[in-house]
Amino acid sequence: MKIETTKVAGSVYMLTGAGGNIGVSVGEDGIVIVDDQFAPLAPKIKAALAAITDRPIQFVLNTHYHGDHTGGNEIFGREAPIIAHDNVRQRLAAGTTARGHKTPPAPKGALPVVTFDSTLTIHVNGEQVRAIHSPHAHTDGDSIIWFTRSNVVHMGDNFFNGRFPYIDVDNGGSARGLIHSIDRVLSTVPDDAKIIPGHGPLADKAALRRYSEMLAGTYGAVDAAVRAGKTLDQMKREKVLGPWEEWDGGFISSDAFLTTLHGELTR
């Protein structure tokens, strides 16, 4: 797997590989990385960083606990402190179950050593890097990372660009919370901001707005079907999410996303 490097804006780059997109801030203070994919990719990620700058890594931020975003923690944690929301450390330390798949507790070296509850700001490379917690969105430990001077926002898995999202309901995620998280970003960041999604190509606010409209539309359609007394099987047969079929084809299919929405709306 090759690691691709894309200059985003200001001092921020995006690295893409086998896991979630990595955000990178470079400058006189060193490197800040947002997420670190899988452990076997660490040498290639380090090589990609070295091609940008010879400065050392100063901070590692995790947007949430999933292994395709934290798999390199134990390796990169030897070089710099790992920072994440309180719930990320708790989930990694305890182990998790999601979609029937059990993940054992992470080793001590992979755990965040600095955690926060609501917001945290790092002053590095001439700008404020703000981590803002999004309660009960993709998970219960999501952070949106805003590089304020570079005008770049890393959404983590709150944003699957061009596809239906995975909502980890087993670990505090919810569609309603995800919609609220996206709307908060849309109402806060400048219109010309660049948006790094957790998965998918680099985006802008227009793409994030389309994603928000898809979330609101699908949630409303399933809510209306539930209120009409339709069962999940009926909704699948009637293709309730048909108007949004272009968002199918990623990790989560239309029927899988429909099942998630139905489960939340009938709990």
Side-chain angles (χ1 to χ4, degrees), residues 1-5 14-24 33-46 48 60-76 92 154 196-200:
M1 172 59 67
K2 185 178 180 181
I3 301 296
E4 301 282 353
T5 301
M14 181 177 77
L15 305 184
T16 55
N21 294 331
I22 299 174
V24 181
I33 62 171
V34 180
D35 292 339
D36 48 38
Q37 297 194 354
F38 298 107
L41 289 175
K44 292 183 178 181
I45 294 170
K46 289 183 179 183
V60 178
L61 293 167
N62 291 157
T63 59
H64 61 292
Y65 83 89
H66 287 148
D68 60 324
H69 295 257
T70 62
N73 271 13
E74 189 173 18
I75 296 169
F76 288 102
L92 288 173
H154 193 310
I196 299 176
H199 296 271

Side-chain angles (χ1 to χ4, degrees), residues 64-207:
H64 61 292
Y65 83 89
H66 287 148
D68 60 324
H69 295 257
T70 62
N73 271 13
E74 189 173 18
I75 296 169
F76 288 102
R78 298 168 191 160
E79 302 182 28
I82 302 170
I83 302 170
H85 185 263
D86 296 334
N87 290 342
V88 174
R89 180 181 171 92
Q90 292 175 15
R91 297 286 185 191
L92 288 173
T96 54
T97 299
R99 305 181 82 196
H101 176 71
K102 291 186 177 181
T103 301
K108 180 180 178 181
L111 301 179
V113 296
V114 177
T115 63
F116 64 94
D117 178 25
S118 180
T119 62
L120 175 142
T121 302
I122 303 172
H123 300 267
V124 64
N125 294 334
E127 71 178 323
Q128 296 181 30
V129 181
R130 299 185 61 203
I132 305 164
H133 177 46
S134 292
H136 301 290
H138 172 62
T139 69
D140 63 3
D142 299 297
S143 293
I144 305 297
I145 312 299
W146 186 5
F147 299 93
T148 54
R149 190 188 70 177
S150 296
N151 197 22
V152 176
V153 179
H154 193 310
M155 296 294 299
D157 279 4
N158 279 1
F159 185 20
F160 282 64
N161 189 12
R163 63 193 75 172
F164 288 129
Y166 167 46
I167 300 174
D168 188 350
V169 296
D170 295 309
N171 294 281
S174 79
R176 183 182 293 275
L178 181 59
I179 291 169
H180 176 74
S181 172
I182 301 301
D183 288 346
R184 183 169 65 167
V185 172
L186 287 171
S187 66
T188 302
V189 303
D191 287 342
D192 58 348
K194 297 294 184 181
I195 311 292
I196 299 176
H199 296 271
L202 183 65
D204 53 18
K205 277 189 71 174

